[in-house]
Amino acid sequence: MKGLGIVTTEASAEPTRRDFLFIATGAVAGVGAVAAAWPFVSQMNPDASTIAAGAPIEVDLAPVAVGQDIKVFWRGKPIYIMNRTKKQIEEAQSVALSSLPDPETDKARTKEGHEQWLVVIGICTHLGCIPMAYEGKYDGFFCPCHGSQYDSSGRIRQGPAPANLPVPPYQFVSDTKIQIG
Amino acid sequence: MSGPSTYQPQSPVMKWLEQRLPIAGLVHSSFVAYPTPRNLNYWWTFGAILSMMLAVQIVTGVVLAMHYTPHVDMAFDSVERLVRDVNYGWLLRNMHAAGASMFFIAVYIHMFRGLYYGSYKAPREVLWILGVIIYLLMMATGFMGYVLPWGQMSFWGATVITNLFSAIPLVGDSIVTLLWGGFSVGNPTLNRFFSLHYLLPFVIAGVVVLHVWALHVTGQNNPTGVEPKTEKDTVPFTPYATLKDAFGMSCFLLFFCWFIFYMPNYLGDPENYIPANPGVTPPHIVPEWYYLPFYAILRAIPNKLMGVAAMFGAILVLLFLPWLDSCKVRSSRYRPLAKRFFWAFVVTCLLLGWLGGKPAEGIYTILARVLTAAYFAYFLIVLPMLSRVEKTLPLPNSIADDVLARSNASGATKVASLVAALALAGGLLLGGSGNASAAGSEENVPPSLQWSFAGPFGKYDRAQLQRGFKIYKEVCSACHSMKLLSYRNLADPGGPGFTKEQAAAVAAEASIKDGPNDAGDMFDRPGRLADPFHSPFANEMAARSANGGAAPPDMTLLAKARSYDRGFPQFIFDFFTQFQEQGPNYIAALLQGYEDTPPAGFTLPDGSYYNKYFPGHSIKMPPPISEGQVTYEDGTPQTVAQYAQDVGSFLMWTAEPHLEARKRLGLQVMIFLLILTGLLYFTKKKIWADAH
Ligand code: FES
C-alpha cells in the first residue's frame, strides 16, 4: 500500500508514461500469476482414465426375481436396481403428491412399460450414507445413519434427508437389459 | 538489517496486530527498508531465483504426490498415468523434473559467485556454511527424487549411491541394509525415499530461513567486497532490489520454459523410460548431470574407501573455505592471481563433470585423476598460499566511489559484451543447423530424418500416425505390447485423429480378460475404449520363452527410451535447435539396419541377426517387415524406408501423446514471458534511473 501511495502522489503531479509502465507491468505479472495457477487447480479434476472408466455400463436384469434387488456400481456409486412387488408399485403410485416433502410421481421415476423396475442411486441425500433396501416404514429404503425413510419409489418420506434418491440416467436396451449412463 | 524496525503501521488494524505480532514490521525491515549495496550485479539475483525454484519444486512436488503411487509395481506406471491422463500432468511433471536441474544450475552459479567475490569471508562464515548445508540437502533430495519414477536409472542409481556407504569400515554393510530396509533396493527403499523426498524440501526451506536471517544480520557482500559505509552506498531493498530480482527471475523463467516446453528430455536419461529391472544393469550408469563432477572424483580413485572419502571430501571441504582463504581482500576483482585460479577452478569443475559422464577407462581415468588433484589443490594449497603471497590491487574507498568510477567507463564494455554474447548465440545456432545434417553421416549413427513433429511448431502428421498404427497392429503387435496406451487414446486430440467410433471398433476386435464374474470365473469380453491395449503375451516369462529368451520390449515409451550419443559439441547445438528426435531416428534406422552377412570377423550367435544400428549388432528380432507387407490405402509407397518412418512417427506419439499441446502452450508462454521480461526491464530501468 505504501508503494502505491508514492506512485499516486507523483502521478497527480505528472501523469506520465512512467505510471503506465508500472501499471502495465503489474497487470501483466498478475495475469501471468493467475494463468500459472490454473494447471494446479485443473489437475485436481478427474483424469482422463477416470472419465473413460465412467463410461456407460450394461446390466442384465434377468436374474433379479420379483421382490429382490441388486446393487451395481457405476462411477463408484452404488446403484440399487429393484424388482418391485405389486404391493410396492401400488403404494408408490397411490400416495398423494401433496404429502411428499419432495413431490414427484412414481411415473416420472420409472420407465414406461417397465414399472416394476426401480433404478436409483443408493446414496442418502442427507449426508451420503447408503440406505438399506426393504427396510423402514414405507417398504422402500431406510438410512441407518440418521434415520431417513424412503418409500418404494425411493422418495423421501421422513427424516432429515431433503430430497428423493436420484434416478441415474439409464434406458432399457431390451426387456431384460438396461444401460446405465 | 536487524534491530528495531522503522515500520510505522498506518491503519488501526495493523497497529493492533503490530503490538501483538510484529510480522509486518519484520517483513518491512527485511524486504522493504533493508539496505542493499547499490552496486550488486545480476549474479546477485540468483538468491531470489533460488527461492523461486524452491517454491516451484515444493508446489509442483506436492501436486505430483497427489498422483504418484510409491510401490515398486505401480510407481513407473503411476508417473506415466500422471503424464498422460491427468489434466496438465505432463506440464507439472516437466516443471518438476526440469526444475530440479534449474535449481542446481542456479545454485552452482550462486556458489561460484560467492567464491569469486569472497562472500564466505568474515563475518559471513555462518552464512556460507548454512549455504553448504542447503546444498548437501539439495543433493540428497534430488537423488531420492530421481529414484521415485522407478526406471532403470532410478533403480541402479539408488543401488550405486546407497552402496557408497558400504565403504565405511566395519559398519558399512549394516548401514546399507538399514538404508534399504531389506537385502536389496526394493519396495521399503522406495517408500522411505518417497517419505524423505517429501520431507527434505521443507527442511531446506527451514535452513533457507536461517540463511536469509544470517544474511540480514551481516548484510550482503558486493562486487567490491568493501562493506557499505554510508547511506550513499546502499539503496532500499524495495523497489530497487525487488525489481532487479524480478527481472532476473523472469529471464531465468524464459530459460526454464525452454526446457519445460521444448526440451523436456534433454537433461534426463533415456534409460529411465525403461521400468526398473533388478536383473539387468544399464551399460552406462550415470547420475544426474549435477552430481557428475563428484562422480568423476569417486571413480578417479582406485580404492573404494578412498574414492568415497574423496567424493564426500570434495563437498565437505567447502565448509572450511572461510578459513582456508584468509586473504583480507574479498573480491577477486582486486586479486589478480586469485581471479585466474578461480577461472581455472571453474574449468576444472566443468571438465570433471564431462569426465563423470564418460566411461571410466584409459585416458579418461588419468585425466580424472589429474583434475581431482587440481580440485583439492585449489582449496588446500592454492587458496592458503595466495592468502599469504598475493599482492592485491588497491580497493576503492567506498561502494559509491566505485559506482561513480565504473559508470564513466562502462558504456563500451557493455556493448562489447553484448555483441560477444550475440555472436556466440548466433554461432551456436548456425553450428547447430549446419551440424544437424552432418551428424548422421558417421557410420552406425542413425541418420537424422525429417520429422513433422520436430522443432518449435512441430505437429504430428495424422495420416502418418494412422499408417504407423496400421503397421503396429498388423506386424509389431504380434510380439510387442503397448501397455500404457488405451484404445480411447486413438481418438484423443493431437493423435492419429481416429473418430471415437473407429477407436471403439479397434477396441472391440481385441478380447480382454475380465472378471471374476458372479460365479468367480474370469471371462473374455470385447475390448472397450477405456481398456489399455491388449498385450500379445500374458506375462514377461511367456514373452521371453516365445522369443528365444529375449522378451520384446513394450513399445509405448520406446521412442523416448532409445537414444544415441550426439557427442560434444553437437549436444550443445541440439539445445538451441531443439533436437529431440534421437528415438524415432534410431527406430527408423534399426528397421532398415539388417544385413544378411555380418562384416568379416564378426561372429553372430545362433538365433541372432546382424543389425548395423543395434548396440552390439547382434539382435534377436528377425527383420520384422519387408517391402509391400502392409497395404496402404492412401497410395503412400509401401517401402521399408516408408514403413520405418511411419512406425517411428507413431511410436513418438505413443511416447509423447501431448507433444502438440506442449509446443502450443510453450509458444504462448514464451511470448508472454518475453513481454513480461521486457516490461520488467524497462520498469527496473526507470526505477534505478534516480539511484545512479
Ligand atoms: S445420511 Fe442418511 S440419514 Fe443422514
Side-chain angles (χ1 to χ4, degrees):
Chain A
M1 279 329 265
K2 248 186 130 192
L4 269 179
I6 294 166
V7 172
T8 39
T9 41
E10 274 184 25
S12 57
E14 185 204 350
T16 52
R17 290 212 308 251
R18 184 185 163 117
D19 291 325
F20 175 73
L21 181 63
F22 292 171
I23 293 167
T25 309
V28 170
V31 168
V34 171
W38 175 242
F40 292 88
V41 176
S42 175
Q43 57 85 21
M44 305 272 273
N45 267 321
D47 67 21
S49 67
T50 308
I51 292 170
I57 54 165
E58 287 194 345
V59 182
D60 185 11
L61 304 181
V64 190
V66 175
Q68 279 191 337
D69 70 289
I70 55 168
K71 209 191 309 178
V72 296
F73 277 85
W74 178 65
R75 296 195 167 168
K77 293 177 182 159
I79 303 222
Y80 276 114
I81 302 173
M82 190 182 260
N83 194 347
R84 301 189 288 181
T85 60
K86 268 238 157 54
K87 179 165 165 272
Q88 281 181 308
I89 301 173
E90 263 155 33
E91 281 169 356
Q93 287 172 345
S94 59
V95 65
L97 273 192
S98 56
S99 69
L100 297 174
D102 181 9
E104 217 181 341
T105 59
D106 187 59
K107 203 166 161 222
R109 295 174 59 80
T110 50
K111 301 276 175 207
E112 191 148 9
H114 303 284
E115 277 81 10
Q116 81 263 39
W117 294 104
L118 177 72
V119 181
V120 286
I121 297 177
I123 295 179
C124 180
T125 56
H126 182 223
L127 292 171
C129 293
I130 297 187
M132 297 180 293
Y134 297 111
E135 298 263 341
K137 285 190 277 188
Y138 299 92
D139 246 353
F141 304 85
F142 171 70
C143 180
C145 284
H146 317 96
S148 288
Q149 309 247 12
Y150 299 88
D151 67 11
S152 55
S153 190
R155 290 171 298 197
I156 181 67
R157 298 294 283 270
Q158 196 185 321
N164 302 336
L165 293 179
V167 177
Y170 75 98
Q171 66 259 4
F172 278 83
V173 284
S174 75
D175 265 357
T176 59
K177 210 175 221 180
I178 58 169
Q179 188 194 46
I180 301 176
Chain B
M1 272 177 254
S2 54
S5 168
T6 56
Y7 173 67
Q8 297 293 340
Q10 304 289 317
S11 73
V13 178
M14 290 312 285
K15 275 190 188 136
W16 182 88
L17 180 66
E18 195 66 7
Q19 278 159 11
R20 286 152 182 85
L21 180 72
I23 190 162
L26 180 74
V27 169
H28 181 84
S29 62
S30 316
F31 299 107
V32 181
Y34 176 67
T36 162
R38 69 188 313 150
N39 61 336
L40 298 185
N41 55 32
Y42 277 107
W43 299 117
W44 260 267
T45 60
F46 279 87
I49 289 170
L50 282 163
S51 314
M52 172 180 77
M53 287 316 301
L54 179 61
V56 167
Q57 290 304 86
I58 289 182
V59 172
T60 52
V62 166
V63 166
L64 295 193
M66 294 181 190
H67 303 282
Y68 172 75
T69 314
H71 186 281
V72 287
D73 294 333
M74 288 176 266
F76 187 88
D77 286 2
S78 76
V79 173
E80 277 304 316
R81 289 265 159 258
L82 156 78
V83 168
R84 285 154 189 276
D85 290 340
V86 173
N87 297 341
Y88 295 102
W90 59 267
L91 172 64
L92 298 164
R93 203 263 172 128
N94 288 356
M95 279 171 86
H96 197 71
S101 286
M102 298 301 114
F103 205 168
F104 275 97
I105 288 176
V107 90
Y108 282 132
I109 293 176
H110 192 65
M111 290 165 80
F112 277 122
R113 191 269 289 152
L115 203 56
Y116 184 85
Y117 292 111
S119 300
Y120 47 85
K121 293 187 186 179
R124 298 188 179 82
E125 301 95 324
V126 173
L127 174 62
W128 171 263
I129 289 171
L130 286 168
V132 176
I133 292 173
I134 294 173
Y135 174 56
L136 276 171
L137 286 169
M138 279 175 65
M139 291 182 104
T141 312
F143 157 65
M144 287 191 266
Y146 194 54
V147 174
L148 301 185
W150 211 241
Q152 272 289 68
M153 274 299 164
S154 300
F155 182 88
W156 291 102
T159 304
V160 169
I161 301 291
T162 48
N163 265 317
L164 290 178
F165 294 91
S166 70
I168 303 169
L170 301 176
V171 291
D173 286 332
S174 318
I175 291 182
V176 174
T177 311
L178 185 84
L179 290 175
W180 288 342
F183 304 113
S184 59
V185 173
N187 203 45
T189 326
L190 179 59
N191 268 296
R192 64 192 57 186
F193 277 19
F194 179 53
S195 167
L196 292 173
H197 183 70
Y198 205 116
L199 168 71
L200 286 186
F202 297 97
V203 177
I204 293 178
V207 185
V208 166
V209 169
L210 296 181
H211 190 67
V212 174
W213 186 11
L215 175 76
H216 284 216
V217 169
T218 60
Q220 281 162 293
N221 185 29
N222 66 79
T224 62
V226 178
E227 295 289 343
K229 289 172 185 143
T230 61
E231 287 251 315
K232 276 199 290 181
D233 291 341
T234 61
V235 286
F237 192 84
T238 301
Y240 296 97
T242 324
L243 267 161
K244 199 168 185 171
D245 284 345
F247 173 63
M249 290 194 270
S250 194
C251 291
F252 194 78
L253 276 178
L254 269 168
F255 177 66
F256 184 14
C257 286
W258 187 265
F259 287 98
I260 296 176
F261 293 105
Y262 298 116
M263 308 293 285
N265 298 313
Y266 183 72
L267 295 167
D269 196 302
E271 287 280 346
N272 228 26
Y273 281 111
I274 303 171
N277 180 351
V280 184
T281 309
H284 296 292
I285 292 270
V286 251
E288 289 285 80
W289 68 266
Y290 32 85
Y291 305 122
L292 286 176
F294 303 106
Y295 194 58
I297 291 176
L298 168 79
R299 297 190 307 181
I301 294 173
N303 172 294
K304 182 169 173 179
L305 178 58
M306 293 314 289
V308 174
M311 189 185 83
F312 283 113
I315 304 167
L316 296 180
V317 72
L318 293 172
L319 289 170
F320 301 96
L321 185 58
W323 296 278
L324 289 168
D325 175 11
S326 57
C327 179
K328 285 279 170 293
V329 174
R330 292 199 184 96
S331 172
S332 291
R333 214 187 244 180
Y334 307 104
R335 302 181 62 188
L337 282 176
K339 188 196 268 180
R340 287 194 193 127
F341 278 109
F342 168 82
W343 288 112
F345 177 69
V346 172
V347 172
T348 304
C349 292
L350 290 176
L351 286 176
L352 276 171
W354 168 68
L355 286 169
K358 291 275 157 207
E361 60 197 23
I363 180 77
Y364 296 131
T365 308
I366 297 167
L367 261 176
R369 279 181 197 157
V370 172
L371 290 168
T372 302
Y375 181 96
F376 282 104
Y378 177 73
F379 289 109
L380 301 177
I381 301 171
V382 174
L383 285 179
M385 286 275 287
L386 282 183
S387 325
R388 291 191 178 83
V389 302
E390 186 173 25
K391 269 187 78 116
T392 56
L393 302 178
L395 293 172
N397 261 333
S398 71
I399 294 174
D401 276 5
D402 179 63
V403 172
L404 215 63
R406 293 193 147 250
S407 63
N408 294 338
S410 70
T413 48
K414 254 189 191 158
V415 172
S417 56
L418 193 69
V419 168
L422 281 178
L424 180 68
L428 283 169
L429 259 178
L430 272 180
S433 47
N435 272 271
S437 42
S441 60
E442 212 181 309
E443 195 157 17
N444 294 344
V445 173
S448 284
L449 304 178
Q450 292 292 329
W451 300 102
S452 65
F453 47 80
F457 310 106
K459 279 192 168 44
Y460 291 114
D461 175 346
R462 314 259 167 256
Q464 184 169 46
L465 292 190
Q466 296 198 2
R467 293 196 300 270
F469 172 63
K470 190 159 199 247
I471 299 173
Y472 171 73
K473 207 173 117 201
E474 290 178 16
V475 184
C476 321
S477 68
C479 302
H480 291 275
S481 59
M482 187 74 90
K483 287 194 183 115
L484 297 167
L485 203 69
S486 296
Y487 292 107
R488 65 187 154 85
N489 294 130
L490 291 173
D492 280 351
F498 288 112
T499 62
K500 261 223 151 65
E501 290 69 40
Q502 285 171 315
V506 173
E509 284 171 34
S511 94
I512 304 284
K513 257 238 171 342
D514 201 348
N517 61 13
D518 293 344
D521 299 323
M522 302 301 279
F523 58 92
D524 286 322
R525 60 161 173 81
R528 303 183 189 129
L529 281 174
D531 289 322
F533 267 52
H534 179 64
S535 297
F537 301 104
N539 53 53
E540 201 192 314
M541 287 307 149
R544 207 175 279 289
S545 78
N547 287 281
D554 185 87
M555 273 180 137
T556 331
L557 286 169
L558 212 57
K560 287 202 287 189
R562 297 288 183 273
S563 188
Y564 48 91
D565 226 0
R566 297 274 287 172
F568 179 83
Q570 187 61 46
F571 84 90
I572 294 177
F573 300 147
D574 288 348
F575 170 74
F576 291 91
T577 56
Q578 301 186 350
F579 178 82
Q580 290 261 285
E581 284 79 40
Q582 287 102 316
N585 279 344
Y586 169 81
I587 290 166
L590 185 89
L591 291 176
Q592 304 169 75
Y594 285 92
E595 264 157 35
D596 292 340
T597 42
F602 187 92
T603 42
L604 201 59
D606 250 8
S608 294
Y609 302 84
Y610 184 85
N611 192 305
K612 203 152 68 143
Y613 297 109
F614 191 70
H617 303 304
S618 143
I619 187 170
K620 290 263 186 188
M621 171 170 77
I625 196 163
S626 53
E627 199 121 332
Q629 190 177 339
V630 174
T631 318
Y632 282 160
E633 270 107 42
D634 59 359
T636 310
Q638 301 174 139
T639 59
V640 173
Q642 183 65 41
Y643 289 154
Q645 188 148 11
D646 292 350
V647 168
S649 202
F650 176 68
L651 291 184
M652 189 66 205
W653 170 71
T654 63
E656 194 77 29
H658 296 298
L659 178 140
E660 289 186 12
R662 163 158 71 75
K663 293 188 174 179
R664 196 167 51 234
L665 186 61
L667 187 66
Q668 293 163 358
V669 170
M670 283 303 199
I671 290 172
F672 172 83
L673 278 178
L674 281 172
I675 294 172
L676 179 66
T677 309
L679 282 170
L680 281 169
Y681 175 74
F682 288 112
T683 305
K684 182 244 148 198
K685 236 176 120 169
K686 271 265 153 45
I687 297 251
W688 278 80
D690 39 86
H692 287 305

